[in-house]
Structures are given as structure tokens and as C-alpha cells.
Amino acid sequence: MYLNHFGFTELPFGITPDTGFAYSVQHHQEALNTLLLALNAGEGFVKITGEVGTGKTLLCRRLLQTLDQSWVSAYLPNPNLAPNTLFLALAEELGIDDAGGLDQYHLIRRINHLLLAHAQMNKRVVVCIDEAQAMPLESLEALRLLSNLETEKCKLLQIALFGQPELDDKLHRPEVRQLLQRIAFHYRLGGLKNSEIGNYLAHRLRVAGYRGEGLFTLAAIRALYRASGGTPRLINILAHKSLLSVFGEGRQLVKVHHIRIARRDTEGARRLGWFWG
């Protein structure tokens, strides 16, 4: 690859949600603040939605890293599960090792006993559910049953939902209207602004070990924004392919025509138009 050519220690524009490369652009910081506010308020449910590639999984991982020792967390990355299987997955994530074979009633009781034990030790519990738009309606309704677990003073369990905009459509179905009413905090995650992309690129390059001058011309950065629409995943894909083109030419600077080459090879990228050469 091009690591040695540019002096990188690792690839700067991978598409996996690596928190080591996290950069607090406006939308992500506001979303993280919303999550922390909701959890500290003890409201029960908080929802983050955003289009594909806007960084929801990365945000979820940042949240889990931010929580201190007073929190117990569980992470469900694939919640396309029937209610009983969902409860079983949650029990396993929380460290309950004797949940196999229990019916739904006894599963909930077992989870409730554990949550009460954590509350007695002044520990709060949060469940982060990624790709929540994939949940069946009956499983979304089952989450509401879990949210009923509480003492006289506080909820025993807080639930953070991360999903694509289709999650909002599901939550407006009559069957889960009670759950929708319990979501007191929510945030719609957007992409990067044009003014943020230059710093975003520079940050990722620096984390990857680059110590030289800027690799992207100002025109290339503007073209990258136009081609990606500010979507972080598309920015990373286009930047990576652009660097490959530069490497193939034996050069050191990304220009507009490298962005154009990358755009032609990338599904979902926008056309640049005649102005961009």
C-alpha cells in the first residue's frame, strides 16, 4: 500500500469505527452531549438517528468509552431478534450466565434482580443498541417492558437506541406509540460541514503518523465535500482512493482530478460537475 510513500504508520482513512481516529465535529459532539445529558438525567430512553455512514457506531463506542466506573454497560450490535432472544442476549451481555432455558417472565425477573443489585452498589446500567431500525416491532415493545424496571426513585435500566431514519418510521407505528412517548431525548446525526473537512482530514492524517505538509489542496478538499455530501464514511472512502491515485503517480499531493477518479469508482458519491474539471 502507500504507507511508506506518505510516511504513515497506519491507514488514515479506514471505514471501521476506530475511536482512536475520532474527531469531535459539531454534530458528533452535540450528539454525545445529548447522550450524556439523557443518561445523567435518568430518563430511560435516548435515541440517535442518522443516515448510513454518519458515524452512529463510532458515536456509540465513544459513549461507552466516556462512561466511568459508576456505569455498567451492555452493547447489542445486532438487535434483529425476537423478544425472548433479545432478553437472553441482554442477560448474557450483563454477565448473567444461568439464563439459558428461562422463559420470558423468568428472564425479566433474573435481569431485574441483577439490576437491583447494581443499584444497591450505586451503579447505573445502560444498554446501547446499534442498528436499532432492524428490531422487530414486538422487540421494540419488549424494550418498554424492560424500561418499567425501576425503584421508587430511579430507573434501573437506561436504553440508548442508535439507528437509521427508518427507526423513526417504526417508532411512529401505533403498536409502539407508548415507547415513542418515553423517548425524552433524541438527536438526528448529520454529516460534516464544508468548513470542518480540512481539519477532519488533518486530524486523521496526524493520528496515522503523517508529519508533512497538507496532502490535500484546498480545491481538492472542496471537491471532496461536494462528492461526499459531508458523510464521514464517504469522505474516508474517497480520501483513501485519492491517496491510492496519488501514490500510483508517484506524487505527494491530492488534487481535484484525484477526487474525481475516486468518485467515479464509489457508489453513492455525488457528481462534481463541469466546474471541477
Side-chain angles (χ1 to χ4, degrees):
M1 297 295 287
Y2 51 65
L3 293 180
N4 291 334
H5 180 75
F6 294 108
F8 300 148
T9 56
E10 58 183 314
L11 293 176
F13 298 109
I15 60 173
T16 55
D18 186 346
T19 55
F21 282 91
Y23 180 70
S24 294
V25 296
Q26 180 179 342
H27 280 297
H28 266 250
Q29 191 58 51
E30 289 177 353
L32 182 60
N33 291 344
T34 299
L35 286 164
L36 294 174
L37 176 64
L39 294 184
N40 287 324
E43 293 290 346
F45 279 97
V46 57
K47 172 174 62 73
I48 304 293
T49 56
E51 285 290 349
V52 174
T54 50
K56 298 180 295 296
T57 299
L58 178 62
L59 177 65
C60 180
R61 293 184 180 182
R62 285 185 64 195
L63 171 66
L64 292 174
Q65 285 190 349
T66 302
L67 300 177
D68 61 24
Q69 296 299 315
S70 67
W71 285 92
V72 174
S73 63
Y75 174 59
L76 299 180
N78 181 19
N80 186 12
L81 305 168
N84 203 62
T85 310
L86 177 69
F87 292 143
L88 182 60
L90 175 59
E92 291 178 351
E93 274 290 301
L94 292 174
I96 300 174
D97 55 11
D98 58 351
L102 297 179
D103 58 26
Q104 183 171 311
Y105 171 76
H106 289 95
L107 262 176
I108 294 177
R109 282 197 58 178
R110 187 70 183 85
I111 292 171
N112 188 46
H113 289 158
L114 178 65
L115 297 179
L116 284 170
H118 283 313
Q120 290 171 357
M121 293 186 291
N122 293 319
K123 287 185 175 291
R124 293 174 289 178
V125 181
V126 58
V127 179
C128 293
I129 301 179
D130 207 356
E131 302 293 347
Q133 78 282 347
M135 296 185 71
L137 288 176
E138 58 269 23
S139 297
L140 281 170
E141 174 60 16
L143 284 181
R144 186 179 64 83
L145 298 179
L146 283 178
S147 72
N148 288 335
L149 303 178
E150 57 189 2
T151 66
E152 292 182 355
K153 295 184 178 295
C154 66
K155 294 284 186 183
L156 291 175
L157 183 69
Q158 306 225 54
I159 300 171
L161 301 172
F162 299 80
Q164 296 171 22
E166 292 83 353
L167 175 61
D168 289 325
D169 297 333
K170 277 193 173 181
L171 289 172
H172 281 87
R173 295 280 295 272
E175 302 95 312
V176 290
R177 63 188 182 278
Q178 293 187 66
L179 172 58
L180 179 64
Q181 292 175 359
R182 296 191 181 194
I183 300 174
F185 289 85
H186 60 92
Y187 190 89
R188 182 69 176 267
L189 197 62
L192 277 68
K193 297 178 180 179
N194 193 5
S195 59
E196 294 175 320
I197 290 187
N199 289 334
Y200 173 82
L201 296 173
H203 170 78
R204 294 192 71 101
L205 291 170
R206 185 167 56 252
V207 172
Y210 183 67
R211 296 297 180 265
E213 299 295 326
L215 279 180
F216 294 78
T217 67
L218 291 178
I221 293 173
R222 291 193 294 268
L224 185 56
Y225 173 75
R226 183 176 179 85
S228 67
T231 301
R233 184 180 297 164
L234 278 176
I235 293 172
N236 289 357
I237 292 172
L238 291 167
H240 170 66
K241 291 180 177 179
S242 299
L243 289 174
L244 281 174
S245 295
V246 174
F247 170 64
E249 296 175 359
R251 299 180 183 275
Q252 293 284 336
L253 189 63
V254 178
K255 298 183 178 180
V256 172
H257 75 274
H258 298 116
I259 304 296
R260 179 174 289 281
I261 293 170
R263 187 211 66 80
R264 290 171 181 165
D265 187 47
T266 304
E267 293 286 343
R270 302 177 180 181
R271 293 179 60 86
L272 293 180
W274 66 268
F275 176 79
W276 299 95

